[in-house]
Amino acid sequence: AEIKNLCLRLLVQAAVISWDREFCSVLGLRVNEKCVPEPGKTDGVVQSRTAGLLLGVFQTLKFLLQCLDLPWNLSENEPTFMSLRLDVLSRCLSTIDTTCSWVMTKAYQYLSSWSLKQFLLVTQADLMLLCAEIEKLVALVKTTFPGDTAHVTSLQEAQLCLQIHAAASNIKHFSEKVLQMFMFDCRKMSTDFFQQNMPVGKHWQARIPSAEDVSNPSEYAVDAAHTVIGQVLQGILPLTQEAQITILAQVVTVFLEAWMDHILRNKIKFSLQGALQLRNDFDMVRDMIQLQDSGLSADIQQAVLSLRVFHQVDNAIICLLQQPPNKKYMATSLWKPCSMCCSQTQEFDSSSLNSLESLEVQASRNEASLEAQTSATADLLSKIRSSSNPECYLTINQQEWLSLRLHSGRRWKVPSLSCMNRAPET
């Protein structure tokens, strides 16, 4: 029995020395930790270096707790054994508290600086691994220290057990709320960005659509998407596929919702060209997700692109494309006799809205406008028809989007022909 006790003491002493060394390494590294994926991992687990050290500390603690359950040839009330029990509980509490402090500090630090690669590694990789280890440790503490009066050897033990459970609950609560906190900041950043950079007024009210003008997304849209979604795309690559879908789906949703809310809140009016340009701006988000160098698998791309928020965006664009058509101007061929008559008496300025040439230009431009509207609308409507649930496009604020169409326009005027100007009779 003495030899058995001696062997157990040596095992416990070795484990305590190991814990001291590992815990000191954690304390020394956690301040200057850069929070990048630890290299050389062959098991597919992604973690930072500090998280890897903490996982080793938890393994040592679990070994110490298991040692307490071994058949020691000692009374539970013997001072040496009681001191060991208190020592193990104190180390468990210190480890959980340090883990909670490190994770929260790094999460707030990287979120406030918008360093999303590091933030997502800490909160969606490290935190998940550490929470799983803490859960196992707490279960083992509960088994070793049941908490009933028959097993409580001292009031200090009971207090330490309560503090361990409280610390574990604290980090579990943080793990459940951190993604919600991140989404709140994403929405706020998106809203602020659109408020400061998205143009309003005449920028969206141009009357003559040009294919060249609306072929590329606007600069503000590119900057906004790269600031929010671009960093997220880079940050989620090391994570599991499930985590990638969850994070990217929520970020894309809050980003596009903040975009649409900004438009509705500011009541920006859109001409047909403005609607086509906005459509290109919205489509850029789809393009970012579908890029080959985005690093996303086909399953992730399909899951994100099928989000309801994309259906709402398409519905908003369809509403804006339903512009009341202007009356077509009469073609020049119908005015040919008048043109021949007046050409002998007056030359018209081609830049005048009332000239015959301007009427022909306006007619052709109006037809181009209608063709552009028909093409863009038909393209989006085809998506609705191919959707398994087309009702999801009918948003509750559809009437608000319809009210953002630019209704006003110049009425058709009869050109002032010189031959129609009658001189006063004398």
Side-chain angles (χ1 to χ4, degrees):
E2 293 296 331
I3 295 177
K4 187 176 182 179
N5 282 343
L6 177 61
C7 292
L8 286 175
R9 288 175 184 274
L10 290 174
L11 281 174
V12 170
Q13 185 177 3
V16 168
I17 293 174
S18 175
W19 184 92
D20 290 342
R21 183 176 61 251
E22 293 168 343
F23 193 69
C24 287
S25 298
V26 170
L27 295 177
L29 179 63
R30 63 175 185 164
V31 177
N32 298 321
E33 170 69 85
K34 302 300 182 183
C35 291
V36 296
E38 191 175 12
K41 298 290 292 183
T42 58
D43 54 1
V45 177
V46 179
Q47 62 192 34
S48 66
R49 188 179 173 190
T50 298
L53 292 175
L54 283 170
L55 292 175
V57 174
F58 281 110
Q59 295 301 321
T60 303
L61 287 174
K62 286 190 289 186
F63 176 78
L64 284 170
L65 288 169
Q66 291 168 351
C67 287
L68 294 180
D69 270 346
L70 294 176
W72 291 70
N73 190 23
L74 295 170
S75 170
E76 287 190 350
N77 293 322
E78 185 171 326
T80 302
F81 191 70
M82 290 184 62
S83 176
L84 177 60
R85 289 165 64 92
L86 291 174
D87 186 52
V88 172
L89 284 176
S90 298
R91 292 170 189 272
C92 288
L93 180 59
S94 297
T95 303
I96 297 177
D97 277 340
T98 301
T99 300
C100 187
S101 174
W102 176 76
V103 168
M104 289 186 178
T105 300
K106 288 298 181 181
Y108 287 120
Q109 172 189 339
Y110 291 128
L111 184 58
S112 63
S113 63
W114 205 247
S115 304
L116 298 189
K117 280 186 179 181
Q118 293 85 348
F119 172 82
L120 293 174
L121 176 65
V122 171
T123 60
Q124 302 303 312
D126 292 347
L127 180 57
M128 301 299 109
L129 295 172
L130 294 171
C131 280
E133 289 300 317
I134 290 175
E135 187 176 351
K136 295 176 184 177
L137 184 68
V138 170
L140 197 53
V141 168
K142 190 174 182 180
T143 302
T144 308
F145 302 86
D148 52 48
T149 55
H151 292 82
V152 174
T153 58
S154 72
L155 180 61
Q156 195 173 0
E157 274 188 16
Q159 291 176 340
L160 285 171
C161 288
L162 288 176
Q163 291 175 349
I164 288 172
H165 283 84
S169 298
N170 190 23
I171 194 169
K172 182 180 180 181
H173 177 74
F174 179 76
S175 69
E176 294 171 349
K177 297 296 182 182
V178 66
L179 194 57
Q180 181 180 348
M181 176 181 68
F182 174 49
M183 294 307 148
F184 177 83
D185 278 24
C186 280
R187 181 181 293 275
K188 184 178 184 302
M189 171 164 282
S190 301
T191 300
D192 292 345
F193 192 97
F194 290 125
Q195 189 68 38
Q196 297 172 12
N197 297 281
M198 183 175 179
V200 294
K202 294 184 179 180
H203 177 85
W204 303 103
Q205 297 175 11
R207 300 179 180 280
I208 305 171
S210 166
E212 181 179 355
D213 292 341
V214 297
S215 60
N216 297 317
S218 304
E219 184 179 355
Y220 84 93
V222 175
D223 292 341
H226 283 288
T227 300
V228 180
I229 299 177
Q231 287 203 43
V232 173
L233 285 173
Q234 297 175 11
I236 64 175
L237 290 181
L239 306 180
T240 63
Q241 178 168 310
E242 182 181 358
Q244 290 183 22
I245 293 176
T246 300
I247 297 169
L248 186 58
Q250 293 191 45
V251 170
V252 169
T253 298
V254 300
F255 178 79
L256 290 176
E257 285 180 348
W259 199 344
M260 291 187 289
D261 289 345
H262 171 77
I263 294 173
L264 293 175
R265 183 170 56 253
N266 289 274
K267 301 185 183 302
I268 302 175
K269 295 287 187 176
F270 293 86
S271 65
L272 178 59
Q273 180 180 353
L276 293 173
Q277 180 61 63
L278 184 64
R279 179 199 176 193
N280 280 347
D281 295 348
F282 281 149
D283 282 347
M284 185 201 54
V285 178
R286 283 190 175 98
D287 296 338
M288 287 185 65
I289 296 171
Q290 292 176 316
L291 285 176
Q292 292 184 353
D293 57 0
S294 67
L296 302 177
S297 66
D299 292 338
I300 296 176
Q301 292 178 353
Q302 182 178 1
V304 175
L305 292 176
S306 62
L307 291 172
R308 186 174 184 271
V309 69
F310 283 111
H311 302 160
Q312 294 173 335
V313 164
D314 288 343
N315 184 63
I317 295 299
I318 290 176
C319 291
L320 295 178
L321 288 174
Q322 309 308 307
Q323 297 282 341
N326 295 326
K327 294 182 179 180
K328 289 188 177 182
Y329 289 95
M330 300 179 66
T332 306
S333 57
L334 299 179
W335 292 83
K336 188 173 182 180
C338 296
S339 176
M340 293 176 60
C341 169
C342 298
S343 61
Q344 301 175 0
T345 58
Q346 180 180 354
E347 293 184 3
F348 293 94
D349 181 6
S350 61
S351 63
S352 171
L353 286 176
N354 291 330
S355 71
L356 297 178
E357 291 183 9
S358 69
L359 293 177
E360 183 177 19
V361 171
Q362 292 291 344
S364 62
R365 286 175 175 174
N366 195 42
E367 295 212 7
S369 172
L370 293 174
E371 290 176 4
Q373 176 185 3
T374 303
S375 175
T377 307
D379 185 18
L380 290 178
L381 287 174
S382 66
K383 296 180 182 179
I384 298 179
R385 296 189 185 98
S386 63
S387 172
S388 58
N389 184 21
E391 289 80 7
C392 63
Y393 283 77
L394 301 177
T395 59
I396 58 176
N397 53 10
Q398 191 173 30
Q399 290 301 319
E400 294 184 60
W401 284 100
L402 288 172
S403 68
L404 298 183
R405 297 172 298 174
L406 189 64
H407 293 277
S408 61
R410 292 188 180 91
R411 294 188 176 185
W412 181 80
K413 296 181 180 180
V414 177
S416 50
L417 303 176
S418 59
C419 61
M420 298 178 64
N421 293 333
R422 296 180 58 183
E425 296 182 359
T426 56

